[in-house]
């Protein structure tokens, strides 16, 4: 699994004009990509990392300050644009594999005590955020 994590001061996801997920104030906006070899165990590992990674103000984690997370599925994280002019998506898991694993990341975060908002899997989403820093990190598990 791969996550692009941004420290934010607010973020939201809009689908068809409706806000489907939003966090206000300090937190993390997390784009999650799934590949073919990923498992529920990797989803749990990613959730633990997201909850405990110390990238918020003052080197704090979401668990330290009860900061919210906005988790959004993002198959394009496994796009490959090394050849030609069109990326390929061969490394990205198909939706029937990816969706339950993204849901597992969210469920495990909630089990850890996190407040988690989400996008809508497979939808045409509009993501808005204020990147605080700017601070962006790629996490592979």
């Amino acid at each position: 699994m791969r996550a692009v994590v941004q420290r934010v001061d607010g973020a939201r996801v809009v689908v068809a004009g409706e806000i489907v997920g939003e966090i206000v104030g300090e937190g993390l906006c997390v784009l999650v990509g799934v590949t073919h070899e990923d498992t529920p165990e990797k989803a749990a590992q990613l959730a633990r990392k997201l909850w405990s990674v110390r990238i918020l103000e003052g080197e704090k984690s979401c668990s330290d300050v009860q900061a919210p997370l906005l988790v959004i599925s993002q198959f394009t994280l496994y796009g490959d644009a090394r050849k030609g002019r069109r990326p390929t998506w061969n490394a990205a898991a198909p939706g029937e594999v990816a969706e339950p694993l993204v849901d597992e990341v969210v469920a495990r975060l909630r089990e850890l005590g996190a407040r988690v908002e989400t996008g809508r899997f497979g939808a045409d989403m509009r993501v808005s955020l204020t990147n605080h820093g700017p601070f962006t990190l790629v996490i592979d598990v």
Side-chain angles (χ1 to χ4, degrees), residues 1-73:
M1 296 188 96
R2 177 172 294 155
V4 173
V5 183
Q6 296 185 73
R7 180 174 71 186
V8 298
D9 185 20
R12 74 168 51 162
V13 178
V14 174
V15 175
E18 172 194 356
I19 298 172
V20 298
E22 181 174 34
I23 62 174
V24 177
E26 182 178 48
L28 298 179
C29 182
V30 183
L31 306 176
V32 176
V34 178
T35 192
H36 302 280
E37 299 81 30
D38 288 332
T39 63
E41 292 76 26
K42 284 192 176 185
Q45 181 183 2
L46 179 59
R48 288 189 304 271
K49 176 64 80 173
L50 293 170
W51 188 231
S52 64
V53 67
R54 297 181 171 281
I55 62 173
L56 297 179
E57 192 74 30
E59 295 187 17
K60 302 285 185 188
S61 68
C62 286
S63 65
D64 291 332
V65 296
Q66 298 302 301
L69 299 94
L70 176 61
V71 176
I72 304 162
S73 64

